[in-house]
Every structure is written in structure tokens, then in C-alpha cells.
Amino acid sequence: MEQKQVVIVGAGISGLVACKYCVSKGFNPIVFESQADIGGVWAKTIRSTRLQTFKGLYQFSDFPWPSSVTQDFPSQHQVLSYLRSYVDHFDLFKHIQFGCNVKGIEYHGQKPPLAPSSWAKSNGSGKWSVTVENTQTDPPSIKVHEADFVILCVGRFKDVPNIPDFAPGTGPEVFRGRVIHSMEYSAMDHDKAEQLVKGKRIVVVGFQKQGLDIAMECSSVNGSEYPCTIVYRKDRWKLPDFSPWGIPLQYLYFNRFAELMVHKPGEGFLLALLATLLSPLRWGISKLVETYIKTKLPLAKFNMVPERSFSKDVHSCVLAALPQDFFNRVETGSISLKKSPSFGFYNDGIMIDGENKAIEADMVILSTGFKGIQKLKNIFTSQDFGELIAVSPDSRVPLYRECIHPRIPQLAIIGFSESFSNLFTSEIRCRWLVELMDGKVKVPSIQEMEKDISNWDDYMKKSSGEYYQRSCLAGLDIWYNDHLCKDMGWNPRRKNGFWADLFQPYGPMDYANP
């Protein structure tokens, strides 16, 4: 039987597990990675970056962390070493081509809107052409590869920066200093990044994980002599640790009982009734955690108590761990906080909306996220496929099981929605995907898949609100995994005993075996 030729775009975590499981099924994968190393966002990042998920939840089901890594939240260097060990162990390097930019992919076969009634019927009837630029040759060379199946693992948190829009005359062009995106800062050698900010008045725009880390590094270098100013739009819950009142967070939000309190896409009458009856308990748990955070952190003092509930931020995937010593640095003046819905540039710095006093700056670092959906859309040569991926500027990527688009055959997108542990989620998706490619998983009609996607859309709009695009699964990871398990013919109940299955948190090792 002829081997199925699979092209995988990206050698981050999703690309690595996709390659590993394709090999395990006897397929012939080739991974194109634009950078010179594996790891995706972990390949090059800020010096102080650490894993924000407990390592027991962020590991491969068949390749646990080595005993030498004793920290619960390993450093960037340790994560990257772990990923390299995984690739070595499963002999994946021979399948990866570095320095290869995928310039476009084109499908040769039946295209939308002439899609068949079943996605499976089109699977195997066409081929993909993948145009790749190899930057390691001199001059760079272009080659077109043919594939039976394409897996896009391009990630949504790199490559295409999101730059805010500014009114005429208030954009970066009027600023005499330097404006960069956090992506550029993260790509620098650590020593060069330190020299870049040393002795400068830095403004960091953005208050999520990357913005926090950059601000902490600037304050470590410059102290209160050149304070780092953080400009942000809204308060979001930040965790001082992951055990509020001594209770590990996964026992409050990441077990089956916790998921019973949440209305779920496609739920029946009894589950809906139970979620309604348990809603006071869900509210109480959220308030319990909020009280702990407000006890540990001086949020009220700095007018930083979020308006949204802690549970809402969990289900939106916008939680971040607060770096140690953060508020001490605010107190001592090496970090300054400015909350504003908007700002603009002037010659010597920025102007905060609603304030008369300007903030003088030598450099502004925009930690304002990425346009991941735009990057994904642009990889398709066909405008039709691109528009299926990005239906509108404020939509999410509509994927069945968060893996395949019902009207784009022989292609999967892995790692584009978020969960509490993206590694864990990407792995089980890849296991589902290779079973689909091998004909063991059967998908329903396009219409049924689109109805399922619509149900998840409704859930995410209600649970995530303005963060709907992130396709966050946190808080429903087990419910989601149950669907994948049933599709693959696995028993979704992975624990020994009723009470363990109900109250113990689920993790990668629960899915080690079918």
C-alpha cells in the first residue's frame, strides 16, 4: 500500500506531535519549519519566560518530564530541552526541514462551493501543492511539493504582529524614539535585549504574559532611575500562585464535577438543568478565588480589581501568572501602571486618552498580540479557502472538533484554539486526526459538522465574550476530549472508579493508552 504523503507546516509543539503520530501510523510526513530550530514560541523568547501551566499537565502522554527537572514551572531553556529530547527519542529530526518558508498551498480537486455532502467522500480525491522557499540555499530556492494531506501547525502567537490603529498624526511615525513589537524583542539574544532597553525610558503596551515579562526585565535593568510604564486597557485577573487557599486550581476548575457547573455545547436537558442548579456553587468558587487574589495582591490599592469574574477569565483563556515581586516594583517606582482605553504618540513619547500630562519615552514596545487568523488565511492560494477560514474580522476559525474545516478536504489545523494545557490538547487532537486519516474515525455530513461548530460558537460567545476569537476550551477540556475519545472508540472515562473520575483532575497520563 502506498504511503500517504503528509506535509506539516511548523515544528512547534503541534507540529512535533503531528509528525510523531503520523509516523506511528505509517504515513510519510515532512515538516517545514521557517526557523532554525524546533519549539515554535519556545524556540526564542524572553529570558525570564517560564511555563505557566504545572508541568504535570504540560507533558507528552508517552514521554514524561525527566526527573532532573524538579521545578513545577520550568524555564524556557528547560522546556526547549524537553522538546528536543522528545524529538530525539522518536527520531523525528529526519522528517524536519529547517529554514523552509511555506509560501502558499493550493488544492487540486473539488473545491467549494461544490463541496460534497460528506467531508470523508472528498478525502483522498485530490492533492495539495505546497510551495516552499528554502532559505538555507544561496540564493534561496523554490520547490513545489505534492501532498495527500496538509496539517497546518502555524500557531496564533507569532509571525504576524497586531499593531493598533491610530488617528492621523498620532501614530508611531510622529515619535522620535523607537517603536517595536514584543515579537522583535523576544527574538533578540538575551544580552542584546538587555542592552536595547538599558538606560532608556520604556513604555510597554499590553498587560498579558509577554508584556508583564518584558516590563519585569526592563525594571530589573533600569530600576527606578528609568521606570518602565505599562499601558493597558482593562484589568484582568492575575494569579499570585496556582493554589488559592491551598487548593490546587485544577481541583476547582479542571475536573468533571467542575464541568457539571458549566453549560456545554450540545448538552441535553439533564446536563443543562444540572448546570443551572449548580450555578450558585460556580459563582461561590469564583468568589473564593477572587477573595484569595485580592488578599494576596494590592489590587484595590491600585484600582485594578477586574469587573469580570475570575471564572469568566478562566473560560476566556486570559489568565496569567503574576511575576514574583511585581507589585513591590510598582511600590518602589521601577514599574508604573497606566490604564486607558487608548493612547497616541507625540514627538517625545505617548499621550494617554483623557490625561493632559504626557509620558515621555525613548522606546515603546507593543505587546499587543498577533493576527494569527490573518496569517492562517494568507497561506491559502485560493481566496475561497481563505475566506472560509476567516469568515469576518471578528470571527473565530470554524473547525469541527477544532481540527478540520467541513469544506476544506484533506487538511487539518492543529493548535489554533486554546486550553489550559495546549500541549496536552494538541496531542489528543493529533491522535484523533491520524485515526481520521487512517479511516478509523468517521465524521458526519458537512451540515452536521457545521451545526456542531455553531453550537461551540454559541458557547464561546457566551463564555468568552470579546475573546471569542481565541476559541478557548479551558473549563471544558474533559467534555471536549470525551468527544474525541468516543470518535476513536475509546472509553472517555479515564479514571479508576466513579468518585475519582468525578473529582480528580484529568491530565495527559490519563490518555496514555487508548
Side-chain angles (χ1 to χ4, degrees):
M1 182 178 178
E2 187 179 354
Q3 277 188 321
K4 190 185 293 287
Q5 179 65 58
V6 182
V7 163
I8 300 168
V9 184
I13 285 181
S14 296
L16 297 179
V17 289
C19 181
K20 186 261 181 183
Y21 283 103
C22 281
V23 170
S24 72
K25 275 291 182 181
F27 303 146
N28 184 32
I30 180 171
V31 183
F32 295 117
E33 169 56 49
S34 61
Q35 303 301 313
D37 200 357
I38 63 165
V41 294
W42 288 106
K44 196 67 179 176
T45 189
I46 302 163
R47 190 199 302 265
S48 58
T49 298
R50 305 188 77 84
L51 189 63
Q52 288 208 89
T53 305
F54 173 63
K55 71 177 182 183
L57 295 176
Y58 197 89
Q59 62 182 337
F60 302 102
S61 64
D62 54 359
F63 192 77
W65 281 91
S67 58
S68 59
V69 179
T70 57
Q71 300 95 324
D72 287 338
F73 303 95
S75 67
Q76 177 257 348
H77 174 73
Q78 290 172 314
V79 173
L80 196 53
S81 295
Y82 174 57
L83 298 180
R84 287 172 179 153
S85 296
Y86 176 82
V87 173
D88 279 333
H89 180 77
F90 291 106
D91 195 23
L92 303 181
F93 273 115
K94 65 185 181 183
H95 298 281
I96 305 172
Q97 294 189 15
F98 295 104
C100 289
N101 295 313
V102 174
K103 309 300 288 185
I105 61 174
E106 183 174 6
Y107 183 68
H108 301 283
Q110 192 174 27
K111 298 179 181 179
L114 304 175
S117 60
S118 170
W119 190 90
K121 289 180 182 177
S122 67
N123 193 25
S125 64
K127 298 282 186 181
W128 284 94
S129 291
V130 182
T131 302
V132 179
E133 178 188 42
N134 187 340
T135 62
Q136 294 188 326
T137 62
D138 188 20
S141 58
I142 299 288
K143 184 177 179 180
V144 178
H145 298 258
E146 189 177 85
D148 299 300
F149 204 100
V150 170
I151 307 175
L152 299 178
C153 304
V154 295
R156 65 186 308 155
F157 299 116
K158 61 192 295 282
D159 298 329
V160 181
N162 176 49
I163 306 298
D165 295 323
F166 297 94
T170 64
E173 69 279 359
V174 304
F175 179 47
R176 288 190 291 220
R178 184 175 175 183
V179 180
I180 65 172
H181 191 268
S182 57
M183 177 179 73
E184 186 178 342
Y185 181 91
S186 300
M188 294 180 180
D189 291 335
H190 296 155
D191 291 340
K192 287 184 178 179
E194 180 178 322
Q195 289 303 311
L196 177 71
V197 301
K198 188 173 184 179
K200 294 184 179 71
R201 298 164 298 179
I202 307 295
V203 171
V204 175
V205 180
F207 201 36
Q208 286 301 104
K209 176 60 177 169
Q210 197 167 59
L212 285 169
D213 285 344
I214 293 173
M216 289 292 287
E217 291 199 357
C218 291
S219 71
S220 296
V221 173
N222 293 323
S224 57
E225 183 179 1
Y226 298 98
C228 177
T229 301
I230 300 176
V231 177
Y232 67 103
R233 291 190 302 119
K234 294 182 179 181
D235 296 305
R236 292 287 173 252
W237 291 102
K238 301 291 187 289
L239 288 164
D241 57 66
F242 287 85
S243 294
W245 304 113
I247 307 170
L249 196 65
Q250 54 264 41
Y251 282 90
L252 299 175
Y253 283 98
F254 303 108
N255 56 38
R256 285 194 184 277
F257 183 72
E259 292 193 4
L260 289 177
M261 306 178 207
V262 182
H263 285 287
K264 295 169 278 293
E267 66 187 357
F269 173 77
L270 290 178
L271 285 176
L273 177 63
L274 193 56
T276 301
L277 293 175
L278 290 174
S279 60
L281 180 58
R282 181 177 72 245
W283 177 88
I285 290 173
S286 183
K287 291 301 175 185
L288 180 75
V289 180
E290 292 168 24
T291 302
Y292 174 78
I293 295 173
K294 289 187 284 188
T295 300
K296 297 283 286 186
L297 303 176
L299 300 183
K301 178 179 179 179
F302 293 101
N303 189 29
M304 295 179 67
V305 178
E307 295 180 359
R308 298 198 336 165
S309 70
F310 179 82
S311 287
K312 193 80 170 179
D313 279 3
V314 169
H315 291 279
S316 302
C317 290
V318 294
L319 285 183
L322 194 71
Q324 281 189 334
D325 202 39
F326 178 82
F327 277 107
N328 285 337
R329 301 193 187 193
V330 176
E331 296 270 11
T332 57
S334 63
I335 291 179
S336 174
L337 300 170
K338 288 288 183 179
K339 180 167 56 177
S340 174
S342 62
F343 72 97
F345 288 89
Y346 80 108
N347 289 347
D348 296 318
I350 67 169
M351 289 290 297
I352 297 295
D353 186 41
E355 292 192 9
N356 295 323
K357 186 178 179 181
I359 299 175
E360 294 183 350
D362 301 304
M363 176 178 290
V364 175
I365 303 176
L366 300 173
S367 183
T368 47
F370 297 84
K371 291 185 176 179
I373 293 178
Q374 188 64 41
K375 175 178 65 171
L376 193 60
K377 176 182 178 180
N378 291 345
I379 203 170
F380 291 93
T381 302
S382 165
Q383 185 177 347
D384 292 333
F385 283 152
E387 290 176 352
L388 288 173
I389 290 296
V391 179
S392 67
D394 60 349
S395 68
R396 74 184 191 95
V397 179
L399 302 176
Y400 178 70
R401 299 291 193 249
E402 300 303 315
C403 293
I404 61 173
H405 192 289
R407 297 185 183 273
I408 305 181
Q410 296 166 242
L411 179 134
I413 300 169
I414 301 293
F416 221 74
S417 59
E418 297 181 67
S419 66
F420 188 63
S421 173
N422 290 325
L423 184 154
F424 170 25
T425 305
S426 286
E427 183 178 24
I428 194 167
R429 283 177 184 162
C430 289
R431 298 177 79 169
W432 179 90
L433 178 60
V434 297
E435 295 296 338
L436 175 69
M437 294 163 63
D438 199 34
K440 304 294 175 52
V441 165
K442 306 298 181 184
V443 294
S445 70
I446 287 175
Q447 289 73 25
E448 290 175 287
M449 287 194 282
E450 289 176 337
K451 181 180 179 180
D452 186 78
I453 292 169
S454 178
N455 288 337
W456 279 92
D457 279 351
D458 291 341
Y459 160 74
M460 289 173 182
K461 286 174 182 174
K462 292 175 183 176
S463 63
S464 300
E466 63 184 288
Y467 300 103
Y468 158 69
Q469 273 190 334
R470 300 174 75 113
S471 299
C472 179
L473 297 172
L476 277 188
D477 299 75
I478 302 172
W479 174 259
Y480 169 77
N481 289 342
D482 283 354
H483 286 78
L484 300 185
C485 287
K486 291 173 184 177
D487 289 347
M488 293 186 286
W490 298 6
N491 180 2
R493 303 285 174 169
R494 313 300 293 179
K495 301 286 189 182
N496 292 322
F498 174 81
W499 297 110
D501 191 68
L502 187 61
F503 290 108
Q504 285 187 3
Y506 267 64
M509 298 309 167
D510 292 307
Y511 298 89
N513 300 307

Coordinates of all heavy atoms in Angstrom, one line a residue, residues 387-422:
E387 N -11.3 32.7 2.7 CA -12.5 33.3 3.2 C -13.3 32.3 4.1 O -14.0 32.7 5.0 CB -13.4 33.8 2.1 CG -12.8 35.0 1.4 CD -13.6 35.5 0.2 OE1 -14.5 34.8 -0.2 OE2 -13.3 36.6 -0.3
L388 N -13.1 31.0 3.8 CA -13.7 30.0 4.7 C -13.1 30.0 6.1 O -13.7 29.8 7.1 CB -13.6 28.6 4.1 CG -14.5 28.3 2.9 CD1 -14.2 27.0 2.3 CD2 -16.0 28.4 3.3
I389 N -11.8 30.3 6.1 CA -11.0 30.3 7.3 C -11.3 31.6 8.1 O -11.6 31.5 9.4 CB -9.5 30.2 7.1 CG1 -9.1 28.9 6.5 CG2 -8.7 30.6 8.3 CD1 -9.3 27.7 7.5
A390 N -11.3 32.7 7.5 CA -11.6 34.0 8.1 C -12.9 34.5 7.6 O -12.9 35.3 6.6 CB -10.4 35.0 7.9
V391 N -14.0 34.1 8.2 CA -15.3 34.5 7.7 C -15.5 36.0 7.8 O -16.1 36.6 6.9 CB -16.4 33.7 8.5 CG1 -17.8 34.1 8.0 CG2 -16.2 32.2 8.4
S392 N -15.1 36.6 8.9 CA -15.1 38.0 9.1 C -14.0 38.4 10.1 O -13.4 37.5 10.7 CB -16.5 38.4 9.7 OG -16.7 37.9 11.0
P393 N -13.7 39.7 10.2 CA -12.6 40.1 11.1 C -12.8 39.7 12.5 O -11.8 39.6 13.2 CB -12.6 41.7 10.9 CG -13.2 41.9 9.6 CD -14.3 40.8 9.4
D394 N -14.0 39.6 13.0 CA -14.2 39.3 14.4 C -14.7 37.8 14.6 O -15.2 37.5 15.7 CB -15.2 40.3 15.0 CG -16.6 40.2 14.3 OD1 -16.7 39.6 13.3 OD2 -17.5 40.8 14.9
S395 N -14.5 37.0 13.6 CA -15.0 35.6 13.8 C -13.8 34.7 14.3 O -12.7 35.2 14.3 CB -15.5 35.0 12.4 OG -14.4 34.9 11.5
R396 N -14.1 33.5 14.7 CA -13.1 32.6 15.0 C -12.9 31.6 13.9 O -13.8 31.6 12.9 CB -13.4 31.8 16.3 CG -14.5 30.8 16.2 CD -14.8 30.2 17.6 NE -15.7 29.0 17.4 CZ -15.2 27.8 17.4 NH1 -13.9 27.5 17.5 NH2 -16.1 26.7 17.3
V397 N -11.9 30.8 13.9 CA -11.7 29.8 12.8 C -12.7 28.7 13.0 O -12.6 28.0 14.1 CB -10.3 29.3 12.8 CG1 -10.1 28.3 11.7 CG2 -9.3 30.4 12.6
P398 N -13.6 28.4 12.1 CA -14.7 27.5 12.3 C -14.2 26.0 12.0 O -14.2 25.6 10.8 CB -15.8 27.9 11.3 CG -15.0 28.6 10.2 CD -13.8 29.2 10.8
L399 N -13.8 25.3 13.0 CA -13.3 24.0 12.8 C -14.1 22.9 13.5 O -14.5 23.1 14.7 CB -11.8 23.9 13.3 CG -10.9 24.9 12.6 CD1 -9.5 24.7 13.3 CD2 -10.7 24.6 11.1
Y400 N -14.4 21.8 12.9 CA -15.1 20.7 13.5 C -14.0 20.0 14.4 O -12.9 19.6 14.0 CB -15.6 19.7 12.5 CG -16.3 18.5 13.1 CD1 -17.5 18.6 13.7 CD2 -15.7 17.2 12.9 CE1 -18.1 17.5 14.3 CE2 -16.3 16.1 13.4 CZ -17.5 16.2 14.1 OH -18.1 15.1 14.6
R401 N -14.4 19.7 15.7 CA -13.5 19.2 16.7 C -12.2 20.0 16.8 O -11.2 19.5 17.3 CB -13.1 17.7 16.3 CG -14.3 16.7 16.3 CD -14.9 16.5 17.6 NE -15.8 15.4 17.7 CZ -17.1 15.5 17.8 NH1 -17.7 16.7 18.0 NH2 -17.9 14.4 17.9
E402 N -12.3 21.3 16.4 CA -11.2 22.2 16.5 C -10.0 21.7 15.6 O -8.9 22.0 15.9 CB -10.8 22.5 17.9 CG -11.9 23.1 18.8 CD -12.4 24.4 18.2 OE1 -11.6 25.2 17.8 OE2 -13.6 24.6 18.2
C403 N -10.3 20.9 14.6 CA -9.3 20.3 13.8 C -9.4 20.5 12.3 O -8.5 20.7 11.6 CB -9.2 18.8 14.1 SG -8.6 18.3 15.7
I404 N -10.6 20.2 11.8 CA -10.8 20.3 10.3 C -12.0 21.2 10.0 O -12.9 21.4 10.7 CB -11.2 18.9 9.8 CG1 -12.4 18.3 10.4 CG2 -10.0 17.9 10.0 CD1 -12.9 17.0 9.8
H405 N -11.8 21.8 8.8 CA -12.9 22.7 8.3 C -13.8 21.8 7.4 O -13.3 21.1 6.5 CB -12.4 23.8 7.5 CG -13.4 24.9 7.1 ND1 -14.4 24.6 6.2 CD2 -13.6 26.1 7.6 CE1 -15.2 25.7 6.2 NE2 -14.7 26.6 7.0
P406 N -15.1 21.8 7.6 CA -16.0 20.9 6.9 C -15.9 21.1 5.4 O -16.3 20.1 4.6 CB -17.4 21.3 7.4 CG -17.2 21.9 8.7 CD -15.9 22.6 8.6
R407 N -15.5 22.2 4.8 CA -15.5 22.4 3.4 C -14.1 22.5 2.8 O -13.9 23.0 1.7 CB -16.3 23.6 3.0 CG -17.8 23.5 3.4 CD -18.7 24.6 3.0 NE -20.1 24.4 3.5 CZ -21.0 23.7 2.8 NH1 -20.7 23.2 1.6 NH2 -22.2 23.6 3.3
I408 N -13.1 22.2 3.6 CA -11.7 22.1 3.1 C -11.2 20.7 3.2 O -10.8 20.3 4.3 CB -10.8 23.1 3.8 CG1 -11.4 24.6 3.7 CG2 -9.4 23.1 3.2 CD1 -10.5 25.6 4.4
P409 N -11.2 19.9 2.2 CA -10.8 18.5 2.3 C -9.3 18.3 2.5 O -8.5 19.1 2.1 CB -11.3 17.9 1.0 CG -11.3 19.0 0.1 CD -11.6 20.3 0.8
Q410 N -9.0 17.2 3.1 CA -7.6 16.7 3.2 C -6.6 17.7 3.9 O -5.5 17.9 3.5 CB -7.1 16.3 1.8 CG -7.8 15.2 1.2 CD -7.5 15.0 -0.3 OE1 -8.4 15.1 -1.1 NE2 -6.3 14.8 -0.6
L411 N -7.2 18.5 4.8 CA -6.4 19.5 5.5 C -6.9 19.6 7.0 O -8.1 19.5 7.2 CB -6.5 20.8 4.9 CG -5.7 22.0 5.5 CD1 -5.0 22.8 4.5 CD2 -6.7 22.9 6.3
A412 N -6.0 19.8 7.9 CA -6.3 20.0 9.3 C -5.5 21.2 9.8 O -4.4 21.5 9.3 CB -6.0 18.7 10.1
I413 N -6.1 21.8 10.9 CA -5.4 22.9 11.5 C -5.3 22.5 13.0 O -6.4 22.3 13.7 CB -6.2 24.2 11.4 CG1 -6.3 24.6 9.9 CG2 -5.6 25.3 12.1 CD1 -7.3 25.7 9.6
I414 N -4.1 22.4 13.5 CA -3.9 21.9 14.9 C -3.3 23.0 15.7 O -2.3 23.7 15.3 CB -3.0 20.7 14.9 CG1 -3.7 19.5 14.1 CG2 -2.8 20.2 16.4 CD1 -4.9 19.0 14.7
G415 N -3.8 23.3 16.9 CA -3.2 24.2 17.8 C -3.6 25.6 17.7 O -3.0 26.5 18.2
F416 N -4.8 25.8 17.1 CA -5.3 27.2 16.9 C -6.3 27.6 17.9 O -6.6 28.8 18.0 CB -5.8 27.4 15.5 CG -5.4 28.6 14.8 CD1 -4.1 28.8 14.4 CD2 -6.3 29.7 14.7 CE1 -3.7 30.0 13.8 CE2 -5.9 30.9 14.2 CZ -4.6 31.1 13.7
S417 N -6.8 26.7 18.7 CA -7.7 27.1 19.8 C -6.9 26.8 21.1 O -5.9 26.1 21.1 CB -9.0 26.3 19.7 OG -8.8 25.0 19.8
E418 N -7.4 27.4 22.1 CA -6.6 27.4 23.4 C -7.3 26.5 24.4 O -8.5 26.3 24.4 CB -6.4 28.8 23.9 CG -5.6 29.7 23.0 CD -5.4 31.0 23.6 OE1 -4.7 31.2 24.6 OE2 -6.0 32.0 23.0
S419 N -6.4 26.1 25.4 CA -6.9 25.3 26.5 C -6.0 25.6 27.7 O -5.1 26.4 27.6 CB -7.0 23.8 26.2 OG -5.6 23.3 26.0
F420 N -6.3 24.9 28.8 CA -5.4 25.1 30.0 C -4.0 24.6 29.7 O -3.1 25.1 30.2 CB -6.1 24.4 31.2 CG -5.4 24.7 32.5 CD1 -5.3 26.0 33.0 CD2 -4.7 23.7 33.2 CE1 -4.7 26.3 34.2 CE2 -4.1 24.0 34.4 CZ -4.1 25.3 34.9
S421 N -3.9 23.5 28.9 CA -2.6 23.0 28.5 C -2.6 22.7 27.0 O -3.2 21.7 26.6 CB -2.3 21.7 29.3 OG -1.1 21.1 28.8
N422 N -2.0 23.6 26.3 CA -2.1 23.5 24.8 C -1.3 22.2 24.3 O -1.7 21.6 23.3 CB -1.5 24.7 24.2 CG -2.4 25.9 24.4 OD1 -3.6 25.8 24.4 ND2 -1.9 27.1 24.5

